[in-house]
Amino acid sequence: GEPVSGATVLAAVGQEFDAAFLPPHGRTKLLRHQRMVIDEATSLTGVSGVFAAYPAVGLAVDVAVATSGREREALWALRDDVERVHGQAPSITFDVSLRVSDIEGYLDQVQAILAAEFPDNRTWIFGHLGDGNLHIVVAPGAELTAVRPRVEQAVYGPLAAINGSISGEHGIGLEKKPWLKLSRTPAELALMATIKAAIDPGNILNPGKLLSA
């Protein structure tokens, strides 16, 4: 079949995507589903047949194929305009990574925890499906400062058992520092500290950031 040059997954949990987020082409089809994947082939030859065959082989329930450059851009606009979700409700954004084979089970677990902890939550999931890198935006339906640790536990906690990472492409920083132990062993953290001490004996490079002094 046609080689796929890009793939991204989008999901809306607990609600359908707002119709304003969807292009006119394929809108009726897409609104029926909570998880969507956007694929792109490296050439147009036979692409319609390849993607249209996805349901038959169990890769999709339904398919909407762009037949023009304008329709292609409208479909990719779903992915490129995801920042719009931040205007829907106060939310917390996550960037995690895991094996592709673990994605479905992980998302099911996270969604179950969030539903139990925050019945009014609104959650959007998007990211780089082929790389196992997911961006999860959670609007818990409660004051963020008060519930942030519980939301973070819901998203980060299940990663430990599947050797996932609390970061995919955006690093750790101060915000994720308390959770680093979930995706790094004590030996790995000790090695990181040793390397830091060797190249920065004066502790002048980002002191107290990723590694405590």
Side-chain angles (χ1 to χ4, degrees), residues 64-211:
V65 179
T67 57
S68 68
R70 183 174 181 177
E71 291 177 349
R72 171 190 174 277
E73 291 174 2
L75 284 170
W76 275 115
L78 272 170
R79 168 63 180 87
D80 296 337
D81 199 24
V82 291
E83 288 295 323
R84 195 185 303 187
V85 303
H86 294 295
Q88 301 297 297
S91 58
I92 304 171
T93 302
F94 298 90
D95 167 49
V96 303
S97 56
L98 61 160
R99 286 186 296 266
V100 173
S101 59
D102 289 325
I103 288 177
E104 184 174 7
Y106 167 74
L107 290 180
D108 286 344
Q109 187 175 1
V110 169
Q111 291 161 14
I113 296 171
L114 289 172
E117 291 268 338
F118 309 102
D120 297 326
N121 90 87
R122 299 173 68 187
T123 300
W124 296 267
I125 302 161
F126 59 98
H128 317 288
L129 184 60
D131 296 335
N133 178 201
L134 300 177
H135 305 303
I136 303 174
V137 181
V138 181
E143 201 281 318
L144 295 186
T145 302
V147 302
R148 176 180 283 272
R150 291 164 56 202
V151 176
E152 291 178 340
Q153 177 62 45
V155 174
Y156 292 143
L159 291 168
I162 55 176
N163 295 317
S165 174
I166 62 171
S167 178
E169 60 179 345
H170 296 297
I172 303 299
L174 289 174
E175 189 173 279
K176 297 181 181 180
K177 181 178 176 180
W179 301 96
L180 186 57
K181 62 182 181 296
L182 287 181
S183 52
R184 289 293 179 267
T185 66
E188 289 172 328
L189 292 173
L191 178 59
M192 291 167 63
T194 298
I195 295 174
K196 162 74 169 171
I199 63 176
D200 181 25
N203 194 33
I204 61 173
L205 304 177
N206 276 342
K209 294 298 192 292
L210 182 60
L211 300 171

Side-chain angles (χ1 to χ4, degrees), residues 1 4 28 35 43 130 151 211:
V4 173
T28 301
R35 293 183 185 176
S43 76
V151 176
L211 300 171

